[in-house]
C-alpha cells in the first residue's frame, strides 16, 4: 500500500481480555518496528522485525506481550490479559532496509488502546 | 547510555515568531539524527534527518536543524511560526553500529499563539 496501515484505529477493551493489533507495512519494506506511546511520554521501543524474524525483542515489557510477522508483511502485536497500564497508542513503522541509517521510519497512524 | 534529551516538554510561540526546539544527544559514535512531527491523532512524519553530510539540514515546512558536534546538539528551528506548526515534535537518534531502532526523545509540544 501507499503507507503503513494499522487497525483498529481505536480499541477499548476490558481488563483481563486479550487484544490483537495489526500492522500492514509499506510493500517491500523488510524492516518493521512496534513502538508504544504513553500519555506524556516519548516513544518506547517494543520489538523489531527483519523479514519474519525478530532479532530484537528487548522492548517487550512483559511476557503478556508478543508479536509475529508472516510473509514478510503483516505483523500482529498481541497483548494477553490486558492491564490498565497497557493503555497507550501503539505505533508501527517500517523501513526498506534493516537499519534506519539513511532512512527515517514511515509510521502508521497508530492504534489507541484503552483498557477499562 | 545512548539517548536523546529534549529540553522543554511544552513550548509556546506567537505566530510569526522564531521556533526553537532543543535536542541534545549522547553518543559514543557518530549519530544519525532525525526530527519527526506528530499532528493530533496522526502518526509520526519525518521532518528532516542528518546523516553525516551537511551539518545544516533543511526539512519540510520551512524547518531546519543544525548538527553541532561540539555541543552534541541538533536543535530544530523555523524563522516564522505558523498556526499549522502546532504539533508534537520528536527528536530521534540512530547509530552506525549495532542498533536497528531509533531512540526517541520524550517530545516537545509546540503551541502557536495567534
Amino acid at each position: 500500500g501507499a503507507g503503513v496501515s494499522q487497525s483498529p484505529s481505536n480499541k477499548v477493551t476490558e481488563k483481563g481480555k486479550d487484544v490483537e493489533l495489526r500492522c500492514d507495512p509499506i510493500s517491500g519494506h523488510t524492516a518493521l518496528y512496534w513502538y508504544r506511546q504513553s500519555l506524556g511520554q516519548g516513544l518506547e521501543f517494543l520489538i523489531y522485525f527483519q523479514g519474519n524474524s525478530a532479532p530484537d525483542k528487548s522492548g517487550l515489557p512483559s511476557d503478556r506481550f508478543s508479536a509475529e510477522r508472516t510473509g514478510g508483511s503483516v505483523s500482529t502485536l498481541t497483548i494477553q490479559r490486558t492491564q490498565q497500564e497497557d493503555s497507550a497508542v501503539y505505533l508501527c513503522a517500517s523501513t526498506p532496509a534493516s537499519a534506519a541509517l539513511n532512512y527515517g521510519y514511515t509510521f502508521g497512524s497508530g492504534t489507541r488502546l484503552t483498557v477499562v | 547510555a545512548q539517548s536523546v534529551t529534549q529540553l522543554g516538554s511544552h513550548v509556546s510561540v506567537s505566530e510569526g515568531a522564531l521556533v526553537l526546539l532543543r535536542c541534545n544527544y549522547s553518543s559514543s559514535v557518530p549519530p544519525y539524527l532525525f526530527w519527526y512531527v506528530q499532528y493530533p491523532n496522526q502518526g509520526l512524519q519525518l521532518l528532516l534527518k542528518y546523516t553525516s553530510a551537511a551539518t545544516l539540514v533543511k526539512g519540510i515546512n520551512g524547518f531546519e536543524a543544525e548538527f553541532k558536534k561540539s555541543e552534541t546538539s541538533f536543535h530544530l528551528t523555523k524563522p516564522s511560526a505558523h498556526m499549522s506548526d502546532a504539533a508534537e515534535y520528536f527528536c530521534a537518534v540512530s547509530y552506525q553500529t549495532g542498533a536497528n531502532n531509533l531512540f526517541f526523545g520524550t517530545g516537545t509540544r509546540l503551541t502557536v499563539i495567534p
Side-chain angles (χ1 to χ4, degrees):
Chain A
V4 177
S5 178
Q6 291 188 247
S7 60
S9 54
N10 281 284
K11 176 72 176 178
V12 179
T13 189
E14 292 181 352
K15 178 180 175 181
K17 294 286 181 71
D18 298 352
V19 295
E20 286 188 351
L21 312 180
R22 175 187 169 107
C23 173
D24 199 343
I26 292 174
S27 178
H29 279 196
T30 58
L32 185 148
Y33 307 80
W34 282 98
Y35 282 83
R36 179 168 70 174
Q37 184 178 22
S38 301
L39 186 63
Q41 299 186 24
L43 276 70
E44 175 188 8
F45 168 75
L46 297 179
I47 188 170
Y48 151 68
F49 286 93
Q50 176 58 30
N52 290 335
S53 64
D56 190 348
K57 305 179 183 178
S58 62
L60 293 177
S62 76
D63 59 8
R64 296 186 295 105
F65 287 73
S66 63
E68 65 176 10
R69 189 180 185 194
T70 55
S73 181
V74 173
S75 176
T76 302
L77 177 68
T78 301
I79 308 173
Q80 296 178 308
R81 306 181 302 281
T82 52
Q83 303 295 314
Q84 287 186 329
E85 61 262 28
D86 299 335
S87 296
V89 176
Y90 290 81
L91 292 167
C92 176
S94 68
T95 68
S98 62
L101 299 181
N102 289 309
Y103 309 96
Y105 291 173
T106 301
F107 280 87
S109 298
T111 294
R112 181 176 299 278
L113 175 67
T114 304
V115 182
V116 298
Chain B
Q2 299 168 334
S3 67
V4 289
T5 301
Q6 291 184 242
L7 294 177
S9 58
H10 291 86
V11 170
S12 294
V13 299
S14 298
E15 190 175 15
L18 171 70
V19 176
L20 171 60
L21 305 181
R22 300 177 186 275
C23 174
N24 288 88
Y25 67 92
S26 61
S27 170
S28 57
V29 298
Y32 288 64
L33 293 156
F34 304 81
W35 275 99
Y36 283 83
V37 60
Q38 186 179 32
Y39 298 103
N41 301 315
Q42 295 187 28
L44 277 72
Q45 178 182 356
L46 181 66
L47 264 181
L48 50 81
K49 60 186 178 186
Y50 166 75
T51 57
S52 74
T55 56
L56 181 62
V57 181
K58 295 187 183 299
I60 61 173
N61 301 338
F63 284 92
E64 62 182 36
E66 186 174 6
F67 173 70
K68 291 187 177 180
K69 184 177 179 181
S70 61
E71 298 178 6
T72 61
S73 69
F74 191 58
H75 302 331
L76 182 71
T77 61
K78 182 174 180 178
S80 177
H82 192 272
M83 295 299 294
S84 61
D85 295 327
E88 187 141 20
Y89 292 80
F90 292 91
C91 183
V93 62
S94 182
Y95 301 98
Q96 290 181 322
T97 57
N100 289 301
N101 58 52
L102 289 177
F103 296 90
F104 285 86
T106 52
T108 298
R109 183 169 298 280
L110 177 66
T111 300
V112 182
I113 303 166

